[in-house]
Amino acid sequence: MERLNQALQAFMKRPTTWVGIITALTFQIVFSLIWMTGYDGVTDRVDRLHIAIVNKDQQLGAQVSDNLMKELPFRMSKIDELENAKQQLDDRKLQMVIYMPEDFTQKTASPDGHANIQYWINESNPALIKSIMNGVAQQVTAEVNKQAVFAGVKSTLGATAKMPEAQAATAAQSLAERVTADIQSTNAIHGMNNQMVPMMMVLASYVGAMIMGMNLEQSSMAVQASVSRWRRFAARSIINIVAALFVSLVGSTLLYSLGGQIEQGFIHLWLFEMLFLLTFMFVSQMFLYLFGMAGMLFNIMLLSAQLVSSGTIVPRELLSDFYTGLVLLLPATYAVEGNMNLLFGGPGVGHEVAILFLITAVAVAVSAAATGLKRSAGRQHEAAIAAK
């Protein structure tokens, strides 16, 4: 027992032991605070999701679309051309497109007719989007059957078959379910394993960058007596670039080898992963340049904030105003957007690449400034010691 106490005392005297304990505690505190506040009230903000209606039928379709504009609890808009609406859907400016074809009234009024309301959903989004919009499609179709189709068929029977109104109503009631939902997906995702890839890539990349940065900081402290600050800064930057090149190649190769869905090609995915991994490395190390090992606390907070707000689990439109504003500053946002485009389909990644380059440049500039300021402070300290 005495030897065990000595071992415990030896461990507790080491600063690294306390750092480990504090880090574990920090993860619990930070993740609880950020995730609980980030996802609070998500289901109350579904009215921020955007649905567009494209109506080509000027009779019953126009009536149905007007009712939907008033009754659905979402951001609603009308678009004249289906191709324009589908382009906005592909750009993730819309979450669903509802299409009323030209012959909608004709098919619902015909005794043997059968009409479809077409719904377009972009699966290259968080899975919650597809779930919500599928539910909306079924609800809208059921409502059209109960109200619009019933009224249209009743009117047609009363006018053409010369039935009394009561008989026409009974006949119309028997012709329910004449309108069905034709749900079509763009950028379809094949399997839950592929759905989770964007979150996995962000999580693995940022955690790996954090740990790598921590070890580089320790290596930098170990060689500071023999290597100047700027040479250490240059060496770390070169290591980041080479590591990002190699690590991203391994990650992309494994994803491809395991049958991952890659719509826009392996080379594009590899180069993009290399870019956002390099961005993560420089951003995570920026806090270490500024605050030393204490910068890991900021990295823990940044990791949690990025997982909440990047749009891998919950659509960013459903987050609070604070997180929807914060999301524009975080690199994981653009990593997720680009990954979804490359993996599942969507627009190009030019915008995401430009923002990631900008974030990387800012992180490098801040790190260089911190290196320069520490050098100046060190010289002042040495001069003060010499003066004494």
Side-chain angles (χ1 to χ4, degrees):
M1 182 61 69
E2 182 178 352
R3 291 182 178 179
L4 177 59
N5 289 334
Q6 292 176 348
L8 285 173
Q9 291 176 6
F11 268 90
M12 299 311 293
K13 289 179 180 179
R14 302 295 300 175
T16 50
T17 301
W18 287 102
V19 169
I21 295 172
I22 293 171
T23 300
L25 178 63
T26 302
F27 266 103
Q28 293 293 322
I29 295 172
V30 169
F31 271 65
S32 297
L33 289 175
I34 292 179
W35 285 62
M36 290 301 293
T37 58
Y39 289 152
D40 182 43
V42 162
T43 55
D44 299 330
R45 303 188 191 98
V46 292
D47 58 342
R48 296 182 179 180
L49 298 179
H50 195 176
I51 297 176
I53 301 175
V54 180
N55 174 49
K56 294 298 183 179
D57 181 85
Q58 299 307 313
Q59 299 178 52
L60 186 57
Q63 178 184 343
V64 170
S65 62
D66 287 341
N67 289 338
L68 294 179
M69 291 288 294
K70 297 176 184 177
E71 295 174 5
L72 289 181
F74 302 97
R75 290 176 55 202
M76 303 297 298
S77 61
K78 289 184 178 181
I79 297 178
D80 293 333
E81 298 299 328
L82 180 60
E83 289 305 314
N84 183 17
K86 289 168 68 175
Q87 182 60 53
Q88 293 189 41
L89 183 71
D90 201 47
D91 293 337
R92 301 186 187 88
K93 296 177 181 178
L94 298 174
Q95 277 69 57
M96 185 166 69
V97 174
I98 302 175
Y99 178 66
M100 300 285 184
E102 295 179 356
D103 56 357
F104 185 74
T105 299
Q106 179 184 348
K107 287 188 175 181
T108 55
S110 176
D112 58 349
H114 182 80
N116 286 329
I117 300 178
Q118 296 182 6
Y119 303 90
W120 297 84
I121 301 172
N122 183 4
E123 289 192 24
S124 183
N125 274 299
L128 186 59
I129 289 285
K130 181 180 179 181
S131 176
I132 292 174
M133 293 304 148
N134 274 322
V136 172
Q138 299 299 333
Q139 179 184 354
V140 167
T141 304
E143 193 64 27
V144 169
N145 269 305
K146 290 178 182 178
Q147 299 179 9
V149 174
F150 173 78
V153 173
K154 186 180 83 168
S155 175
T156 301
L157 289 175
T160 60
K162 305 301 182 183
M163 289 183 184
E165 185 176 345
Q167 287 182 307
T170 302
Q173 189 73 16
S174 67
L175 296 173
E177 303 302 324
R178 293 166 55 84
V179 175
T180 57
D182 179 15
I183 302 176
Q184 303 186 42
S185 295
T186 64
N187 304 322
I189 299 176
H190 309 305
M192 189 66 179
N193 56 336
N194 285 303
Q195 180 78 62
M196 300 304 293
V197 166
M199 183 181 73
M200 177 275 293
M201 294 179 75
V202 168
L203 179 61
S205 297
Y206 200 84
V207 171
M210 284 172 52
I211 296 174
M212 175 181 160
M214 179 179 66
N215 284 278
L216 285 179
E217 178 68 15
Q218 292 176 331
S219 298
S220 178
M221 293 167 62
V223 301
Q224 63 182 349
S226 57
V227 181
S228 68
R229 294 178 183 273
W230 288 114
R231 288 181 180 174
R232 296 203 309 271
F233 178 82
R236 289 174 66 168
S237 299
I238 293 172
I239 291 172
N240 286 343
I241 295 171
V242 174
L245 178 68
F246 175 72
V247 172
S248 61
L249 178 60
V250 172
S252 301
T253 302
L254 284 173
L255 183 62
Y256 178 80
S257 302
L258 294 172
Q261 183 177 346
I262 307 175
E263 292 294 331
Q264 297 194 25
F266 173 81
I267 297 297
H268 287 89
L269 178 65
W270 169 37
L271 294 176
F272 186 74
E273 184 178 355
M274 180 179 68
L275 174 60
F276 73 74
L277 180 56
L278 186 65
T279 304
F280 288 168
M281 289 177 178
F282 278 112
V283 168
S284 61
Q285 291 178 40
M286 176 183 69
F287 295 106
L288 298 174
Y289 278 111
L290 289 170
F291 307 109
M293 292 302 292
M296 289 299 295
L297 300 178
F298 291 90
N299 278 323
I300 293 171
M301 290 187 284
L302 198 61
L303 170 65
S304 185
Q306 290 186 118
L307 289 177
V308 167
S309 63
S310 62
T312 56
I313 303 173
V314 173
R316 290 187 290 273
E317 292 85 355
L318 302 184
L319 300 176
S320 66
D321 292 338
F322 171 78
Y323 284 97
T324 53
L326 179 66
V327 74
L328 300 175
L329 304 175
L330 302 179
T333 302
Y334 308 99
V336 168
E337 286 283 329
N339 278 329
M340 285 185 173
N341 292 338
L342 295 173
L343 294 169
F344 312 135
V349 295
H351 173 71
E352 287 76 18
V353 167
I355 299 297
L356 288 172
F357 268 119
L358 177 61
I359 294 173
T360 303
V362 171
V364 171
V366 171
S367 300
T371 300
L373 290 174
K374 286 182 179 179
R375 184 179 184 183
S376 298
R379 285 180 173 177
Q380 291 177 2
H381 179 65
E382 291 173 0
I385 293 176
K388 292 180 180 180

PDB file of all heavy atoms in Angstrom, residues 163-184:
ATOM      1  N   MET A 163     -76.436  14.147 -61.191  1.00  0.00           N
ATOM      2  CA  MET A 163     -76.802  13.543 -59.918  1.00  0.00           C
ATOM      3  C   MET A 163     -77.229  14.626 -58.943  1.00  0.00           C
ATOM      4  O   MET A 163     -76.720  15.749 -59.000  1.00  0.00           O
ATOM      5  CB  MET A 163     -75.603  12.800 -59.307  1.00  0.00           C
ATOM      6  CG  MET A 163     -75.207  11.535 -60.008  1.00  0.00           C
ATOM      7  SD  MET A 163     -73.858  10.732 -59.120  1.00  0.00           S
ATOM      8  CE  MET A 163     -73.518   9.365 -60.225  1.00  0.00           C
ATOM      9  N   PRO A 164     -78.140  14.300 -58.041  1.00  0.00           N
ATOM     10  CA  PRO A 164     -78.414  15.230 -56.945  1.00  0.00           C
ATOM     11  C   PRO A 164     -77.146  15.446 -56.132  1.00  0.00           C
ATOM     12  O   PRO A 164     -76.249  14.606 -56.104  1.00  0.00           O
ATOM     13  CB  PRO A 164     -79.495  14.502 -56.123  1.00  0.00           C
ATOM     14  CG  PRO A 164     -80.105  13.523 -57.066  1.00  0.00           C
ATOM     15  CD  PRO A 164     -79.005  13.111 -58.008  1.00  0.00           C
ATOM     16  N   GLU A 165     -77.088  16.554 -55.443  1.00  0.00           N
ATOM     17  CA  GLU A 165     -75.860  16.908 -54.709  1.00  0.00           C
ATOM     18  C   GLU A 165     -75.496  15.873 -53.673  1.00  0.00           C
ATOM     19  O   GLU A 165     -74.320  15.540 -53.495  1.00  0.00           O
ATOM     20  CB  GLU A 165     -76.044  18.280 -54.055  1.00  0.00           C
ATOM     21  CG  GLU A 165     -74.787  18.795 -53.381  1.00  0.00           C
ATOM     22  CD  GLU A 165     -74.956  20.193 -52.814  1.00  0.00           C
ATOM     23  OE1 GLU A 165     -75.936  20.876 -53.176  1.00  0.00           O
ATOM     24  OE2 GLU A 165     -74.098  20.589 -52.019  1.00  0.00           O
ATOM     25  N   ALA A 166     -76.518  15.322 -52.966  1.00  0.00           N
ATOM     26  CA  ALA A 166     -76.230  14.341 -51.921  1.00  0.00           C
ATOM     27  C   ALA A 166     -75.621  13.081 -52.507  1.00  0.00           C
ATOM     28  O   ALA A 166     -74.659  12.515 -51.975  1.00  0.00           O
ATOM     29  CB  ALA A 166     -77.499  14.008 -51.158  1.00  0.00           C
ATOM     30  N   GLN A 167     -76.163  12.617 -53.664  1.00  0.00           N
ATOM     31  CA  GLN A 167     -75.620  11.437 -54.307  1.00  0.00           C
ATOM     32  C   GLN A 167     -74.223  11.697 -54.858  1.00  0.00           C
ATOM     33  O   GLN A 167     -73.333  10.835 -54.818  1.00  0.00           O
ATOM     34  CB  GLN A 167     -76.550  10.983 -55.442  1.00  0.00           C
ATOM     35  CG  GLN A 167     -77.838  10.336 -54.955  1.00  0.00           C
ATOM     36  CD  GLN A 167     -78.688   9.866 -56.132  1.00  0.00           C
ATOM     37  OE1 GLN A 167     -78.975  10.655 -57.035  1.00  0.00           O
ATOM     38  NE2 GLN A 167     -79.064   8.593 -56.111  1.00  0.00           N
ATOM     39  N   ALA A 168     -74.039  12.894 -55.410  1.00  0.00           N
ATOM     40  CA  ALA A 168     -72.717  13.246 -55.925  1.00  0.00           C
ATOM     41  C   ALA A 168     -71.678  13.240 -54.828  1.00  0.00           C
ATOM     42  O   ALA A 168     -70.544  12.787 -55.017  1.00  0.00           O
ATOM     43  CB  ALA A 168     -72.785  14.617 -56.591  1.00  0.00           C
ATOM     44  N   ALA A 169     -72.076  13.744 -53.642  1.00  0.00           N
ATOM     45  CA  ALA A 169     -71.141  13.755 -52.509  1.00  0.00           C
ATOM     46  C   ALA A 169     -70.780  12.349 -52.092  1.00  0.00           C
ATOM     47  O   ALA A 169     -69.620  12.037 -51.794  1.00  0.00           O
ATOM     48  CB  ALA A 169     -71.748  14.523 -51.342  1.00  0.00           C
ATOM     49  N   THR A 170     -71.777  11.444 -52.075  1.00  0.00           N
ATOM     50  CA  THR A 170     -71.510  10.052 -51.699  1.00  0.00           C
ATOM     51  C   THR A 170     -70.585   9.388 -52.700  1.00  0.00           C
ATOM     52  O   THR A 170     -69.643   8.674 -52.348  1.00  0.00           O
ATOM     53  CB  THR A 170     -72.831   9.271 -51.600  1.00  0.00           C
ATOM     54  OG1 THR A 170     -73.680   9.902 -50.648  1.00  0.00           O
ATOM     55  CG2 THR A 170     -72.575   7.830 -51.184  1.00  0.00           C
ATOM     56  N   ALA A 171     -70.837   9.627 -54.013  1.00  0.00           N
ATOM     57  CA  ALA A 171     -69.988   9.042 -55.049  1.00  0.00           C
ATOM     58  C   ALA A 171     -68.566   9.576 -54.964  1.00  0.00           C
ATOM     59  O   ALA A 171     -67.586   8.845 -55.133  1.00  0.00           O
ATOM     60  CB  ALA A 171     -70.581   9.337 -56.422  1.00  0.00           C
ATOM     61  N   ALA A 172     -68.461  10.867 -54.711  1.00  0.00           N
ATOM     62  CA  ALA A 172     -67.132  11.472 -54.601  1.00  0.00           C
ATOM     63  C   ALA A 172     -66.362  10.897 -53.428  1.00  0.00           C
ATOM     64  O   ALA A 172     -65.149  10.680 -53.503  1.00  0.00           O
ATOM     65  CB  ALA A 172     -67.259  12.983 -54.451  1.00  0.00           C
ATOM     66  N   GLN A 173     -67.056  10.618 -52.310  1.00  0.00           N
ATOM     67  CA  GLN A 173     -66.399  10.077 -51.127  1.00  0.00           C
ATOM     68  C   GLN A 173     -65.782   8.713 -51.429  1.00  0.00           C
ATOM     69  O   GLN A 173     -64.734   8.352 -50.896  1.00  0.00           O
ATOM     70  CB  GLN A 173     -67.414   9.954 -49.986  1.00  0.00           C
ATOM     71  CG  GLN A 173     -66.811   9.598 -48.649  1.00  0.00           C
ATOM     72  CD  GLN A 173     -66.053  10.765 -48.051  1.00  0.00           C
ATOM     73  OE1 GLN A 173     -66.215  11.905 -48.474  1.00  0.00           O
ATOM     74  NE2 GLN A 173     -65.231  10.485 -47.069  1.00  0.00           N
ATOM     75  N   SER A 174     -66.446   7.960 -52.323  1.00  0.00           N
ATOM     76  CA  SER A 174     -65.945   6.624 -52.652  1.00  0.00           C
ATOM     77  C   SER A 174     -64.735   6.671 -53.568  1.00  0.00           C
ATOM     78  O   SER A 174     -64.093   5.651 -53.807  1.00  0.00           O
ATOM     79  CB  SER A 174     -67.057   5.801 -53.306  1.00  0.00           C
ATOM     80  OG  SER A 174     -67.384   6.350 -54.573  1.00  0.00           O
ATOM     81  N   LEU A 175     -64.453   7.832 -54.140  1.00  0.00           N
ATOM     82  CA  LEU A 175     -63.332   7.962 -55.075  1.00  0.00           C
ATOM     83  C   LEU A 175     -62.105   8.577 -54.402  1.00  0.00           C
ATOM     84  O   LEU A 175     -61.371   9.343 -55.012  1.00  0.00           O
ATOM     85  CB  LEU A 175     -63.749   8.822 -56.279  1.00  0.00           C
ATOM     86  CG  LEU A 175     -64.867   8.229 -57.151  1.00  0.00           C
ATOM     87  CD1 LEU A 175     -65.304   9.239 -58.198  1.00  0.00           C
ATOM     88  CD2 LEU A 175     -64.405   6.938 -57.806  1.00  0.00           C
ATOM     89  N   ALA A 176     -61.969   8.272 -53.144  1.00  0.00           N
ATOM     90  CA  ALA A 176     -60.834   8.822 -52.407  1.00  0.00           C
ATOM     91  C   ALA A 176     -59.523   8.199 -52.897  1.00  0.00           C
ATOM     92  O   ALA A 176     -59.505   7.200 -53.601  1.00  0.00           O
ATOM     93  CB  ALA A 176     -61.006   8.564 -50.914  1.00  0.00           C
ATOM     94  N   GLU A 177     -58.418   8.817 -52.484  1.00  0.00           N
ATOM     95  CA  GLU A 177     -57.075   8.345 -52.817  1.00  0.00           C
ATOM     96  C   GLU A 177     -56.835   8.311 -54.322  1.00  0.00           C
ATOM     97  O   GLU A 177     -56.183   7.415 -54.837  1.00  0.00           O
ATOM     98  CB  GLU A 177     -56.829   6.947 -52.216  1.00  0.00           C
ATOM     99  CG  GLU A 177     -57.016   6.858 -50.724  1.00  0.00           C
ATOM    100  CD  GLU A 177     -56.124   7.811 -49.954  1.00  0.00           C
ATOM    101  OE1 GLU A 177     -54.983   8.019 -50.394  1.00  0.00           O
ATOM    102  OE2 GLU A 177     -56.571   8.342 -48.924  1.00  0.00           O
ATOM    103  N   ARG A 178     -57.356   9.284 -55.019  1.00  0.00           N
ATOM    104  CA  ARG A 178     -57.098   9.380 -56.452  1.00  0.00           C
ATOM    105  C   ARG A 178     -55.816  10.162 -56.736  1.00  0.00           C
ATOM    106  O   ARG A 178     -55.337  10.154 -57.857  1.00  0.00           O
ATOM    107  CB  ARG A 178     -58.287  10.055 -57.153  1.00  0.00           C
ATOM    108  CG  ARG A 178     -59.559   9.235 -57.122  1.00  0.00           C
ATOM    109  CD  ARG A 178     -60.767  10.067 -57.501  1.00  0.00           C
ATOM    110  NE  ARG A 178     -60.586  10.714 -58.798  1.00  0.00           N
ATOM    111  CZ  ARG A 178     -60.826  10.134 -59.967  1.00  0.00           C
ATOM    112  NH1 ARG A 178     -61.223   8.877 -59.996  1.00  0.00           N
ATOM    113  NH2 ARG A 178     -60.672  10.787 -61.103  1.00  0.00           N
ATOM    114  N   VAL A 179     -55.303  10.856 -55.749  1.00  0.00           N
ATOM    115  CA  VAL A 179     -54.043  11.594 -55.891  1.00  0.00           C
ATOM    116  C   VAL A 179     -52.985  10.916 -55.029  1.00  0.00           C
ATOM    117  O   VAL A 179     -53.221  10.631 -53.855  1.00  0.00           O
ATOM    118  CB  VAL A 179     -54.217  13.058 -55.474  1.00  0.00           C
ATOM    119  CG1 VAL A 179     -52.876  13.782 -55.513  1.00  0.00           C
ATOM    120  CG2 VAL A 179     -55.219  13.752 -56.372  1.00  0.00           C
ATOM    121  N   THR A 180     -51.850  10.639 -55.587  1.00  0.00           N
ATOM    122  CA  THR A 180     -50.771   9.981 -54.856  1.00  0.00           C
ATOM    123  C   THR A 180     -49.517  10.844 -54.876  1.00  0.00           C
ATOM    124  O   THR A 180     -49.378  11.752 -55.697  1.00  0.00           O
ATOM    125  CB  THR A 180     -50.438   8.606 -55.474  1.00  0.00           C
ATOM    126  OG1 THR A 180     -50.091   8.788 -56.842  1.00  0.00           O
ATOM    127  CG2 THR A 180     -51.630   7.670 -55.365  1.00  0.00           C
ATOM    128  N   ALA A 181     -48.613  10.526 -53.964  1.00  0.00           N
ATOM    129  CA  ALA A 181     -47.350  11.266 -53.870  1.00  0.00           C
ATOM    130  C   ALA A 181     -46.297  10.574 -54.732  1.00  0.00           C
ATOM    131  O   ALA A 181     -46.015   9.390 -54.558  1.00  0.00           O
ATOM    132  CB  ALA A 181     -46.889  11.333 -52.422  1.00  0.00           C
ATOM    133  N   ASP A 182     -45.727  11.318 -55.645  1.00  0.00           N
ATOM    134  CA  ASP A 182     -44.618  10.835 -56.463  1.00  0.00           C
ATOM    135  C   ASP A 182     -43.353  11.546 -55.970  1.00  0.00           C
ATOM    136  O   ASP A 182     -43.021  12.640 -56.405  1.00  0.00           O
ATOM    137  CB  ASP A 182     -44.885  11.134 -57.942  1.00  0.00           C
ATOM    138  CG  ASP A 182     -43.737  10.680 -58.842  1.00  0.00           C
ATOM    139  OD1 ASP A 182     -42.894   9.899 -58.366  1.00  0.00           O
ATOM    140  OD2 ASP A 182     -43.682  11.129 -60.006  1.00  0.00           O
ATOM    141  N   ILE A 183     -42.656  10.892 -55.019  1.00  0.00           N
ATOM    142  CA  ILE A 183     -41.489  11.503 -54.374  1.00  0.00           C
ATOM    143  C   ILE A 183     -40.234  11.084 -55.131  1.00  0.00           C
ATOM    144  O   ILE A 183     -39.938   9.898 -55.263  1.00  0.00           O
ATOM    145  CB  ILE A 183     -41.391  11.089 -52.898  1.00  0.00           C
ATOM    146  CG1 ILE A 183     -42.659  11.488 -52.146  1.00  0.00           C
ATOM    147  CG2 ILE A 183     -40.159  11.709 -52.249  1.00  0.00           C
ATOM    148  CD1 ILE A 183     -42.687  11.047 -50.709  1.00  0.00           C
ATOM    149  N   GLN A 184     -39.527  12.066 -55.638  1.00  0.00           N
ATOM    150  CA  GLN A 184     -38.304  11.808 -56.398  1.00  0.00           C
ATOM    151  C   GLN A 184     -37.124  12.462 -55.686  1.00  0.00           C
ATOM    152  O   GLN A 184     -37.210  13.605 -55.253  1.00  0.00           O
ATOM    153  CB  GLN A 184     -38.438  12.344 -57.821  1.00  0.00           C
ATOM    154  CG  GLN A 184     -39.637  11.760 -58.568  1.00  0.00           C
ATOM    155  CD  GLN A 184     -39.672  12.198 -60.017  1.00  0.00           C
ATOM    156  OE1 GLN A 184     -38.639  12.240 -60.689  1.00  0.00           O
ATOM    157  NE2 GLN A 184     -40.860  12.506 -60.517  1.00  0.00           N
TER     158      GLN A 184
END
